Amino acid sequence: MSLTDDILSQPTFDAAIRTAVTGVKGMKPTYDWVGIYLLEEDVLTLQDDHYLGQPTVHTRIPLNSGICGASATDGETLVIDDVHEDGRYIACSLSVRSEIVVPIIAGERLVGVLDLDSDTPAAFGEADRQELERVADALARAWQALSGE
Ligand code: SME
């Protein structure tokens, strides 16, 4: 079963998130940290079981902060080849070199962001972006089907 089908066959949105995180983390060894922040009262919020990788202190990110906040605000995927060159970057781990953030948008509604960090510089190319945008789209559809909102 493809990851998108697997996400869409989960019984709850929480299970869909955990399925996505596990599936994406296993795609490539350079995907060192994979997590999904959900928008809760204008703050991107990370739950304990919604990421794989090193624990982070940044579990609540306001929309005007970080690469995550910028991607969520603009509704666009951001690919950062060198996080040390981007003043918006909030460091989760000193080893991180590159990052991609993909917004999860259901209709007009921003549900959250899919965030990946890599210890490899420029780890995220066009193929990675396309695959991760498909995952974010599956999560948006799962949210529409399962959130009850
Ligand atoms: N680097 C992110 C913060 C989250 S950590 O990567 C897990 C940012 O700048 O928004």
Side-chain angles (χ1 to χ4, degrees), residues 3-20 36 38 104-107 111 134-149:
L3 178 56
T4 51
D5 287 344
D6 200 6
I7 289 167
L8 286 163
S9 65
Q10 297 304 309
T12 64
F13 186 54
D14 192 66
I17 290 175
R18 287 185 276 108
T19 299
I36 293 172
L38 295 179
I104 300 164
I105 301 170
V111 176
R134 275 194 286 275
V135 171
D137 182 62
L139 283 164
R141 283 185 282 145
W143 184 86
Q144 284 176 315
L146 298 169
S147 73
E149 288 186 40

Side-chain angles (χ1 to χ4, degrees), residues 16-115:
I17 290 175
R18 287 185 276 108
T19 299
V21 168
T22 305
V24 170
K25 184 73 172 73
M27 282 177 182
K28 284 191 177 181
T30 50
Y31 292 177
D32 292 292
W33 192 95
V34 176
I36 293 172
Y37 287 82
L38 295 179
L39 188 65
E40 290 177 6
E41 295 174 359
D42 287 344
V43 178
L44 293 165
T45 305
L46 183 69
Q47 293 181 23
D48 271 354
D49 56 353
H50 288 178
Y51 73 92
L52 288 170
Q54 293 290 323
T56 174
V57 295
H58 300 294
T59 55
R60 290 176 57 79
I61 301 178
L63 286 176
N64 61 2
S65 185
I67 310 291
C68 287
S71 169
T73 302
D74 296 349
E76 283 179 6
T77 299
L78 291 178
V79 178
I80 312 296
D81 288 341
D82 179 354
V83 293
H84 299 304
E85 293 292 317
D86 194 311
R88 299 169 297 184
Y89 173 66
I90 302 169
C92 277
S93 157
L94 291 177
S95 57
V96 172
R97 300 296 305 278
S98 58
E99 175 164 18
I100 184 169
V101 183
V102 184
I104 300 164
I105 301 170
E108 300 279 291
R109 164 89 174 241
L110 177 76
V111 176
V113 297
L114 170 63
D115 180 20

